[in-house]
Amino acid sequence: MATSVDFWFDPSCPWAWMTSRWVDEVSGARELGVTWHIMSLAILNEDKDVPQSYRKNFPRYLRYARLVTAVEQLEGQAKVKPLYDALGTRIHPGGSKDADEVIAGALAEVGLPAEYAAYADSDAYDTELRASHNDGIERVGQEVGTPIIAVNGAAFFGPVISPTPRGEQALTLWDGIVAAASYDGFFELKRTRTRAPQFD
């Protein structure tokens, strides 16, 4: 039987992207049943004191999150991961900061109507976006970011990794992290990042 995994992501976060590629790597070997959920760094930090250099990106971040939310509501959960892959490939390895270009290309790749791009600038599904975001955050607390992963109900932030581990190394990391997270009294393991995300 597949292991139930829930993964919360913001499409704009390079660290979530790295972790999502790791989960993809592990999925086949460990028979993971992954459900992909949207969260938002713009919402997470809307009331926090963050540098203006970071805050100025929030409108772009929110556009991607709104688009994913709308597609899930209109097309179902099955379209969330393909859309995330299409957006993330353009944003992260592709390096694009042109949200209009990213959105149009991702919708076309996934076979979704071009008209859905309008939802990136609409608050029509903000209630659903916030509900999904809060569902993830409430499992781990406010002092985290994206991604959030829950494995059979045991939730944790991260891991923050670079580069994405592959093969046996990916499985070893997965087994270790899931084992640690399954202990209710385990809260934190951290060291300073020494490299930026290294995309394949």
Side-chain angles (χ1 to χ4, degrees):
M1 189 167 96
T3 299
S4 175
V5 176
D6 292 278
F7 189 110
W8 282 263
F9 66 93
D10 181 318
S12 60
C13 178
W15 298 105
W17 178 255
M18 301 296 294
T19 306
S20 71
R21 303 308 94 180
W22 167 62
V23 170
D24 282 348
E25 181 80 4
V26 173
S27 286
R30 288 290 184 267
E31 296 186 44
L32 308 183
V34 186
T35 304
W36 300 86
H37 307 275
I38 193 68
M39 65 180 292
S40 170
L41 289 171
I43 291 173
L44 180 68
N45 293 291
E46 61 188 353
D47 297 322
K48 294 181 181 176
D49 184 17
V50 297
Q52 182 57 33
S53 59
Y54 180 46
R55 186 173 295 278
K56 70 180 182 181
N57 296 310
F58 288 1
R60 185 172 81 251
Y61 295 175
L62 191 56
R63 293 185 76 195
Y64 297 139
R66 281 175 160 168
L67 177 66
V68 173
T69 305
V71 166
E72 180 176 18
Q73 295 301 310
L74 296 167
E75 301 284 342
Q77 167 62 214
K79 289 291 187 182
V80 172
K81 179 59 161 49
L83 181 59
Y84 178 30
D85 290 345
L87 290 167
T89 299
R90 290 164 172 79
I91 296 166
H92 302 301
S96 178
K97 296 192 183 310
D98 184 335
D100 290 335
E101 183 179 272
V102 167
I103 288 167
L107 288 171
E109 179 180 325
V110 180
L112 293 169
E115 295 76 28
Y116 281 9
Y119 287 108
D121 300 302
S122 168
D123 62 3
Y125 294 107
D126 277 12
T127 298
E128 291 81 359
L129 168 57
R130 286 180 179 272
S132 178
H133 173 89
N134 290 335
D135 184 26
I137 288 294
E138 285 168 3
R139 296 168 188 244
V140 292
Q142 292 290 329
E143 300 306 316
V144 300
T146 174
I148 294 167
I149 300 175
V151 182
N152 291 328
F156 52 91
F157 160 64
V160 176
I161 50 178
S162 179
T164 297
R166 302 294 181 185
E168 197 60 37
Q169 191 174 48
L171 301 179
T172 299
L173 180 62
W174 176 262
D175 293 341
I177 291 214
V178 169
S182 68
Y183 175 59
D184 185 60
F186 179 82
F187 298 110
E188 189 168 346
L189 179 69
K190 187 171 183 178
R191 59 186 172 194
T192 301
R193 299 174 197 172
T194 59
R195 65 183 70 117
Q198 298 177 2
F199 306 117
D200 291 342

